Amino acid sequence: QVQLVESGGGLVQAGGSLRLSCAAAGRPFSYVALSWFRQAPGKEREFVAAINWSGSRVDYADSVQGRFTISRDNGKSTMYLQMNSLKPEDTAVYYCAAGAPYGRRMTGEYPYWGQGTQVTVSS
């Protein structure tokens, strides 16, 4: 069993920035790949970014490439998503996910999920 808890969501104007955090517990944090997903109203949950166990490899959805940065601090058992140049289209509930090999993009491949944190971008 692994527990994931997201935080840092909120309301921000278009063009602004926000940093999300995902704290993990229940298994050694240093050896698990992690991903961010998001789900907007009326849409399927979609892949946002992935990071391998050490943080040396990262992957991004085309929609956030160049604007979002995924990182992790294994000493703090925490993963981050730095979101810059935010757009109204980024409005969604953001989830962290674990339990799949690095870089997987389908929700069904992840057995562990956080509760989600709401991000709202106004124009």
Side-chain angles (χ1 to χ4, degrees), residues 34-89:
L34 297 166
S35 291
W36 287 100
F37 285 76
R38 67 186 183 186
Q39 187 166 21
K43 296 184 178 180
E44 296 289 317
R45 191 170 298 183
E46 66 176 357
F47 172 82
V48 175
I51 190 165
N52 76 334
W53 69 271
S54 69
S56 64
R57 299 175 66 192
V58 297
D59 189 34
Y60 300 97
D62 290 344
S63 58
V64 306
Q65 181 73 52
R67 300 187 297 118
F68 290 11
T69 302
I70 188 172
S71 63
R72 66 192 296 163
D73 185 336
N74 287 343
K76 297 181 179 179
S77 296
T78 303
M79 173 179 65
Y80 305 97
L81 185 68
Q82 178 66 47
M83 305 184 293
N84 298 327
S85 301
L86 282 162
K87 306 175 181 179
E89 308 93 89

Side-chain angles (χ1 to χ4, degrees), residues 1 14 31 33 51 85 95 110 114 118:
Q1 181 68 29
Y31 301 105
I51 190 165
S85 301
Y95 300 89
Y110 290 83
Q118 176 71 49

